[in-house]
Amino acid sequence: MDQPGSADTVVTLDAVVTFIITTALFAGLDAAESSEVVRIMEVQRFTDGEDVFREGDPGDAWFIVFDGNAKVLKQASGGAREIAILERGAVFGEIAMLDGQPRSATVRAGGPLTVLRFRRSRFEELLEQGSLGAYKLVLSIARVLAQRHRQLTQQIAQLTPSTAKVTPAAQFQISE
């Protein structure tokens, strides 16, 4: 494989297998389960500044950063705000994949970017076929979402003044 971050990076089957073996999201999968997942995966490349998807787009796939990094942008008053940077091994697009709703943010390449794409329809086929690997990935994704929720709850707690009155509805939305 060429230098990481290079637009000419070659994505070989060996490189993908090594990536899957060493990426936490896939940690619970055995060889057969990993093989099922690799079978439905696609490799996509993006150039610096190119959108992987835009806020409001249909949630038709989820992704994992294979090489490079991506910026997560959220529309706010005054324009888009960068809210996160995703690096190698980061999963994204999983919320729309799970709930079928439009994308909640834009993800943009922060330089040359290679991602592994999992189409929602193909992933759901694996689930319908009773693929244990697909179910294990859903559990891993749920854990990622739970971790993000805890981090967000902590950030909100740090931003909220101790004198602020919190309504019961607001308490429910950020509870753990």
Side-chain angles (χ1 to χ4, degrees), residues 11-20 26 33-44 61-66 114-120 122-123 126 137:
V11 181
T12 65
L13 182 57
D14 285 344
V16 170
V17 169
T18 299
F19 176 80
I20 287 175
F26 299 100
E33 295 160 349
S34 295
S35 178
E36 287 180 333
V37 172
V38 168
R39 185 174 47 83
I40 67 163
M41 160 198 102
E42 302 167 10
V43 176
Q44 282 192 303
W62 60 279
F63 304 81
I64 299 173
V65 176
F66 181 79
T114 303
V115 298
L116 305 180
R117 179 181 183 195
F118 297 86
R119 289 183 191 269
R120 182 172 190 229
R122 297 199 66 202
F123 191 74
L126 280 183
L137 279 176

Side-chain angles (χ1 to χ4, degrees), residues 23-82:
T23 301
L25 188 71
F26 299 100
L29 276 62
D30 65 24
E33 295 160 349
S34 295
S35 178
E36 287 180 333
V37 172
V38 168
R39 185 174 47 83
I40 67 163
M41 160 198 102
E42 302 167 10
V43 176
Q44 282 192 303
R45 294 170 188 244
F46 299 89
T47 59
D48 185 26
E50 188 177 359
D51 291 340
V52 177
F53 55 75
R54 298 185 60 84
E55 186 171 342
D57 285 353
D60 62 350
W62 60 279
F63 304 81
I64 299 173
V65 176
F66 181 79
D67 193 33
N69 67 64
K71 300 174 184 179
V72 180
L73 307 166
K74 179 71 180 156
Q75 286 298 320
S77 59
R81 294 186 58 193
E82 185 177 305

